[in-house]
Amino acid sequence: MTRTPRTGPGRGWLLRLVIAFAFAQGAVSMARPAVSYRALALGADETAVGVIAGVYALLPLFVAVPLGRRTDHGRCAPLLPLGVLLISGGCALSGMVSSLPAMAAWSGVMGLGHLCFVIGAQSIVARQSAPDEQDRNFGHFTIGASLGQLIGPVAAGALISGQGGTLGRTSALALLVSAAVAAVALASLWRIEHRRSTGSGSRPGDKVPVRAILGARGVPAGIFISMAVLSATDILTAYLPVVGEHRSIAPATVGLLLSLRAAATIACRLVMSPLLGLVGRRALLTTSCLLAGLLCAGVALPVSVPVLAVMLAVLGFCLGVGQPLSMTTVVRAAPDRARSTALALRLTGNRLGQVAAPAAAGLIAGAVGVAAPFVLLGVGLIGAAGLGLRGDGRPEPAPEPLDTGPAPEPPDMESAPTDTESALAPPDTVPAAVPQDTQDTQDTPAGSGPVPPTVRNGAENPG
């Protein structure tokens, strides 16, 4: 029977991972707006701010797949403190330098650290969760990200606007505080990865081609769903203030609306397990993406603030489903020895979405109107609902050849004993030929045949 490897009492490893992720994500969510404000204080225009923000997402694109390869054939835990140190260093140095190119470089280091942490953390959850626990554990894991996204921007705004000094000084202070917040995550990074769950059992040179990973049924769907959900979250955060400005909604009210959306996402992930048991993962994923698409397009309508608050609360709840279930979709669909690489490809898709979606939204908003990006996001989420309806998982694998030595020679019919001779043979006499198919189906030793699909899609280290 397949069981989850124990890494401590209960699921303490998952709780510690969620806490560390909350601090790491909170630091990044605090630092990113602070970087923009500090760049403005140093004389950057809107284009320069966009370039600095883009470097955060672009630099990790070049190392995501190599990091995933490395994690597939080794331990995941070392990536966590490495990611925290890179985040903390990137935040601190962004607040200390006084040139825009240097700020762009350290912003990229911060993005690289976030990528390292997320790849390592997601791989640990995938390895140490039994098949029936993956959706729940990924849902709880992403609560850490939601908490960081909820608290980080609020803390940054309080630090930057509450000092009463120059923008450059207060934004630098916010970056130094974010570096300290990231460092706190190190206190929770103990006994998270179990030794028995390290590695995936394949040799370092045994690499699954990226084309084969992307060709596995379910992997492209999981990547697209994740990209659509993340793009909707980013555009909503970036353009809801613009919508509020056009509709004369106060900035403080807009901030409360965004916080309401984030709180609803956390609530969704807290009740993920009951929802999965009630409606099933395919129906939940499809319905949430479809409803999110309709609500996202509905944001473009000139509704009152109370109605908008209800819409954003339901939208936040629906958006909370896509990220954890897309992780499970990719993990279950990818080849066993390339799960971390598949998760890295999913993160690569997220980063591409973070770069392309704001650029496309800006072009559409400038040409058509500020409400148009929400309609575009709605169409994307409805397309993601269609992919979710198709289901996930890879097709049943073909039986692998057995390594049992040379094939036996066909029996000599002249020398083979007849049924009557076998029946009359003494008890200690061994027949010359035993039917191979009977031997295979009645008493197959463990590990001598192909792994059934239900086990191959499960935990990598049973027992």
Side-chain angles (χ1 to χ4, degrees):
M1 182 177 66
T2 303
R3 296 181 300 172
T4 305
R6 294 186 62 86
T7 61
R11 290 188 298 142
W13 64 271
L14 183 58
L15 176 60
R16 291 190 291 274
L17 188 59
V18 170
I19 293 172
F21 194 21
F23 279 102
Q25 184 65 54
V28 171
S29 299
M30 186 187 306
R32 294 200 69 189
V35 165
S36 298
Y37 281 118
R38 180 155 176 80
L40 291 172
L42 294 176
D45 56 11
E46 289 79 1
T47 302
V49 172
V51 170
I52 293 174
V55 172
Y56 170 88
L58 282 175
L59 183 60
L61 292 178
F62 300 100
V63 297
V65 172
L67 278 177
R69 296 283 196 200
R70 181 257 175 214
T71 307
D72 276 323
H73 306 292
R75 297 183 61 208
C76 309
L79 284 179
L80 304 183
L82 174 62
V84 170
L85 292 175
L86 289 175
I87 292 172
S88 184
C91 292
L93 291 170
S94 294
M96 296 170 63
V97 298
S98 57
S99 69
L100 295 179
M103 284 200 67
W106 290 118
S107 178
V109 169
M110 181 171 57
L112 180 60
H114 186 262
L115 181 76
C116 290
F117 188 96
V118 173
I119 288 179
Q122 289 183 5
S123 300
I124 289 175
V125 176
R127 287 183 183 179
Q128 299 186 171
S129 302
D132 58 346
E133 295 178 340
Q134 287 178 344
D135 286 325
R136 180 197 65 191
N137 287 354
F138 274 121
H140 290 173
F141 165 72
T142 52
I143 289 175
S146 299
L147 287 172
Q149 292 168 355
L150 176 64
I151 299 173
V154 176
L159 288 170
I160 293 172
S161 61
Q163 297 298 316
T166 63
L167 185 62
R169 181 172 62 85
T170 56
S171 59
L173 175 63
L175 286 167
L176 293 176
V177 171
S178 65
V181 170
V184 175
L186 294 172
S188 296
L189 298 180
W190 52 276
R191 293 183 63 194
I192 285 182
E193 185 177 25
H194 196 279
R195 290 288 183 175
R196 287 180 295 172
S197 66
T198 58
S200 57
S202 58
R203 297 181 301 273
D206 188 13
K207 296 181 180 179
V208 180
V210 171
R211 178 180 295 181
I213 299 173
L214 293 175
R217 179 186 176 187
V219 171
I223 292 174
F224 182 82
I225 292 170
S226 177
M227 186 188 304
V229 171
L230 184 63
S231 297
T233 304
D234 280 0
I235 297 303
L236 188 66
T237 302
Y239 276 85
L240 191 62
V242 182
V243 172
E245 187 69 19
H246 279 73
R247 299 181 189 176
S248 300
I249 302 175
T253 303
V254 172
L256 289 176
L257 291 173
L258 290 174
S259 297
L260 180 62
R261 194 280 310 165
T265 298
I266 296 174
C268 168
R269 289 164 181 174
L270 287 173
V271 298
M272 183 76 71
S273 295
L275 287 175
L276 288 169
L278 183 65
V279 300
R281 73 185 316 274
R282 183 184 299 185
L284 180 61
L285 185 59
T286 302
T287 304
S288 64
C289 287
L290 179 61
L291 187 56
L294 296 175
L295 289 170
C296 207
V299 173
L301 300 176
V303 296
S304 62
V305 172
V307 174
L308 184 61
V310 174
M311 292 174 60
L312 288 174
V314 180
L315 176 58
F317 192 92
C318 293
L319 292 176
V321 173
Q323 291 287 30
L325 291 193
S326 69
M327 295 179 196
T328 308
T329 298
V330 170
V331 166
R332 292 182 176 181
D336 290 340
R337 62 185 186 273
R339 289 178 171 178
S340 296
T341 305
L343 288 170
L345 289 171
R346 174 187 167 277
L347 291 173
T348 300
N350 287 350
R351 291 293 191 267
L352 286 173
Q354 286 180 306
V355 173
L363 291 174
I364 294 174
V368 182
V370 70
F374 295 99
V375 177
L376 178 64
L377 290 174
V379 173
L381 286 167
I382 292 174
L387 291 175
L389 188 62
R390 295 178 57 188
D392 57 86
R394 57 180 178 244
E396 182 176 346
E400 298 176 0
L402 302 179
D403 187 14
T404 56
E409 295 290 336
D412 186 356
M413 298 307 297
E414 295 183 359
S415 60
T418 63
D419 293 341
T420 305
E421 291 173 340
S422 299
L424 297 177
D428 57 348
T429 304
V430 180
V434 179
Q436 184 66 30
D437 55 348
T438 303
Q439 215 175 29
D440 289 344
T441 58
Q442 291 182 356
D443 190 19
T444 303
S448 63
V451 182
T454 56
V455 177
R456 290 172 62 89
N457 289 340
E460 295 185 7
N461 298 277

